């Protein structure tokens, strides 16, 4: 996790050698992760979903890395 704003409910996952990926608290909740437990520097596994209309990508199916 590059950064996550718990008040606004979104953040960014930084990926090495690729562009950053948007992270929304609703995707964390769908994955069974409490958004309040997310912190900068935390490692997560995820899939990337791209919106066909606006071509924007977001993280989905997240799992915390222990």
């Amino acid at each position: 996790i590059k950064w996550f704003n718990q008040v606004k409910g979104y953040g960014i996952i930084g990926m090495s050698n690729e562009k950053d990926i948007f992270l929304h608290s609703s995707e964390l909740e769908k994955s069974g992760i409490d958004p309040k437990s997310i912190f900068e520097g935390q490692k997560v596994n995820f899939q990337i979903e791209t919106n066909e209309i606006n071509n924007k990508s977001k993280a989905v199916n997240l799992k915390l890395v222990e």
Side-chain angles (χ1 to χ4, degrees), residues 12 19-23 27 47-60:
I12 296 292
K19 66 180 184 177
D20 294 344
I21 299 296
F22 180 76
L23 172 61
E27 292 300 332
Q47 294 176 323
I48 298 172
E49 183 178 278
T50 303
N51 183 316
E52 294 178 13
I53 296 170
N54 63 14
N55 204 33
K56 293 193 178 193
S57 298
K58 67 178 180 177
V60 297

Side-chain angles (χ1 to χ4, degrees), residues 15-49:
M15 296 175 42
S16 58
N17 301 327
E18 294 187 41
K19 66 180 184 177
D20 294 344
I21 299 296
F22 180 76
L23 172 61
H24 195 270
S25 61
S26 63
E27 292 300 332
L28 288 166
E29 291 168 349
K30 287 179 191 176
S31 299
I33 301 170
D34 181 358
K36 294 178 183 173
S37 69
I38 295 299
F39 57 89
E40 183 178 322
Q42 188 168 21
K43 304 278 187 210
V44 291
N45 288 327
F46 60 95
Q47 294 176 323
I48 298 172
E49 183 178 278

